[in-house]
Amino acid sequence: SLTIMTPTAPGEEIIYDFNEINVVQNIGFTVLNYLIRRHHLEFENEINGMIREGVFSGQNDPDLQRILNLKWGQPLQIENEEVKMRLRLWASYMFQPFARTLRGTMHYVGWLDLYARIQHPSWSLEARKEYTKETFQMLWGCYYRLFKSVPNMNRYARDMEYLLKYYWEHYRFKIDAADLATYEKMNYSVLQGYNPATGTIEDVNKVKLTEVSPFANEGKPGCQTHMRRFAMGEVIMTFDINQDFYVEEMSKMPHLLTVFDDRHVALAGYPEDIFTEDYGLIGKFHAVADRTFNSGVQPTLYFLDGRFHYGHPDHWLAAIVDALCGVSRSYPVNEDIFGAYELMLRGDIASSP
């Protein structure tokens, strides 16, 4: 079984705000203008999909006409809230908010259902859903209570509610959320989930902490330690907010997990593809450096028994995570690598498939 852990911090985008991507920048165009020009085929597919689904009232729908006649450097005026949300999601899928990350990880639900249909053709839909539930957990480290309590963060709470509801309605899959709460001056780690009966996010379980700050370290390692309390998979995959997981890559996941059949393997890495390579020179420099590291350096380190943990997307044996007290440490430069240092000192192996 697999748990994917993705921590997010206050202020990190969940779904792009429509007003932010639709305002004309000092360079003369909006972010939405730029994304539409850059991904015009994907945008046409999205609009055609909304037409087929009946989101617009017809070909003469005012919002549809504004979209079809949108000019470069012109903000888009949309009245229909559903159309506005679909455009927000589309723009988010084209870049780096959490919505794209979540869409990528949720491809695994579809693949598990397909594998179940192939291997167990007699299973009912409910049996396949139960199999997926037992095999996969998506765990999102968030700050729902903070989003609800701070007026200028309310939209993050609404976006979180939208995504949890969306994946329940379309996948019949409940995403778990790890939050922090304070009751009578005592801090708690709280597991939350979407309740279809009430249409709200509710507490499922909580773990008592201390009266002092629940995070005694930096945000990401602290959030990962806090999330680990609710991770139920035999393997934990650490995954960051600004990442995607292509559907064809996710098909390899059941095969990747078989590396843990070797009892000496405690950590398995997965190479990255920096999709912002052609967004500018900085992205290109990072992409070339990272590709060199992934394709040449890491496999060489593996054969030399010196391949460590580089943060994401790596897979940990959950029992080892407990023994090491987490997957990362509170160091300002590279908080991820120290877990692998300790793992190597134990005599375990970090694999690079």
Side-chain angles (χ1 to χ4, degrees):
S1 58
L2 173 69
T3 292
I4 297 180
M5 293 198 321
T6 302
T8 59
E12 290 184 316
E13 289 292 347
I14 297 174
I15 305 174
Y16 281 140
D17 180 68
F18 188 77
N19 293 329
E20 291 180 1
I21 63 174
N22 198 38
V23 63
V24 178
Q25 306 291 327
N26 57 10
I27 48 179
F29 53 86
T30 70
V31 173
L32 190 58
N33 291 152
Y34 175 77
L35 291 174
I36 291 173
R37 175 173 287 189
R38 185 179 184 85
H39 305 285
H40 60 278
L41 291 178
E42 290 91 339
F43 187 71
E44 290 176 12
N45 290 337
E46 178 65 23
I47 299 305
N48 291 333
M50 286 196 280
I51 292 173
R52 287 194 304 270
E53 295 168 23
V55 175
F56 301 107
S57 59
Q59 288 295 330
N60 295 322
D61 185 288
D63 286 339
L64 177 59
Q65 290 302 313
R66 294 189 194 101
I67 293 171
L68 297 177
N69 296 310
L70 182 65
K71 306 298 183 184
W72 178 256
Q74 176 185 352
L76 183 60
Q77 303 298 321
I78 297 294
E79 298 175 1
N80 187 318
E81 290 300 322
E82 183 178 359
V83 174
K84 192 177 292 187
M85 175 56 80
R86 291 287 291 266
L87 291 175
R88 290 179 62 203
L89 282 171
W90 177 83
S92 300
Y93 294 155
M94 296 302 106
F95 208 57
Q96 291 183 305
F98 179 72
R100 177 168 182 164
T101 304
L102 188 58
R103 183 188 64 168
T105 59
M106 290 301 290
H107 289 320
Y108 196 41
V109 175
W111 278 113
L112 287 174
D113 184 74
L114 177 61
Y115 288 144
R117 291 169 64 185
I118 294 172
Q119 298 173 6
H120 306 280
S122 62
W123 281 9
S124 65
L125 175 61
E126 291 304 317
R128 297 199 305 270
K129 295 297 182 185
E130 187 62 27
Y131 164 76
T132 302
K133 178 182 175 182
E134 294 175 356
T135 307
F136 175 52
Q137 177 193 25
M138 177 61 207
L139 184 57
W140 175 5
C142 62
Y143 295 86
Y144 181 66
R145 278 180 168 77
L146 176 65
F147 297 157
K148 293 283 285 185
S149 61
V150 179
N152 63 358
M153 287 188 169
N154 285 171
R155 76 172 179 90
Y156 296 112
R158 292 193 297 270
D159 290 345
M160 181 177 170
E161 292 164 356
Y162 179 90
L163 289 175
L164 266 59
K165 179 181 178 181
Y166 175 88
Y167 284 105
W168 167 254
E169 291 180 344
H170 289 77
Y171 288 74
R172 282 296 185 266
F173 185 86
K174 288 187 178 182
I175 296 168
D176 291 332
D179 197 2
L180 293 170
T182 303
Y183 300 105
E184 298 178 354
K185 299 182 179 181
M186 186 65 67
N187 292 302
Y188 290 83
S189 286
V190 180
L191 181 67
Q192 299 171 327
Y194 176 72
N195 186 343
T198 61
T200 59
I201 297 176
E202 299 179 358
D203 293 350
V204 177
N205 196 3
K206 61 182 180 180
V207 176
K208 188 176 181 180
L209 303 177
T210 64
E211 294 184 7
V212 296
S213 174
F215 285 1
N217 49 16
E218 293 182 323
K220 178 183 171 181
C223 191
Q224 287 177 327
T225 301
H226 147 68
M227 294 167 67
R228 172 62 188 104
R229 299 182 177 100
F230 303 115
M232 296 182 288
E234 297 166 286
V235 174
I236 295 175
M237 177 180 177
T238 51
F239 205 64
D240 279 1
I241 181 177
N242 60 344
Q243 294 187 286
D244 192 0
F245 217 121
Y246 305 146
V247 62
E248 65 274 13
E249 292 297 314
M250 190 60 86
S251 68
K252 305 173 186 176
M253 187 63 69
H255 310 288
L256 170 63
L257 297 180
T258 61
V259 303
F260 292 100
D261 292 343
D262 182 342
R263 64 184 182 87
H264 297 292
V265 174
L267 176 64
Y270 209 111
E272 289 184 271
D273 169 44
I274 296 183
F275 61 82
T276 53
E277 176 179 1
D278 56 351
Y279 275 73
L281 282 177
I282 294 177
K284 185 179 291 292
F285 295 155
H286 279 282
V288 171
D290 198 71
R291 188 177 301 115
T292 303
F293 182 69
N294 283 327
S295 60
V297 176
Q298 283 203 45
T300 302
L301 291 174
Y302 168 65
F303 285 115
L304 296 174
D305 289 335
R307 195 271 177 195
F308 296 124
H309 169 46
Y310 302 103
H312 49 74
D314 278 358
H315 301 68
W316 291 81
L317 196 62
I320 296 297
V321 174
D322 291 336
L324 297 179
C325 301
V327 298
S328 55
R329 297 293 178 268
S330 184
Y331 293 91
V333 178
N334 187 344
E335 72 276 3
D336 299 303
I337 200 169
F338 292 91
Y341 284 168
E342 296 171 23
L343 182 149
M344 288 293 193
L345 292 172
R346 288 170 45 93
D348 293 311
I349 297 175
S351 176
S352 182

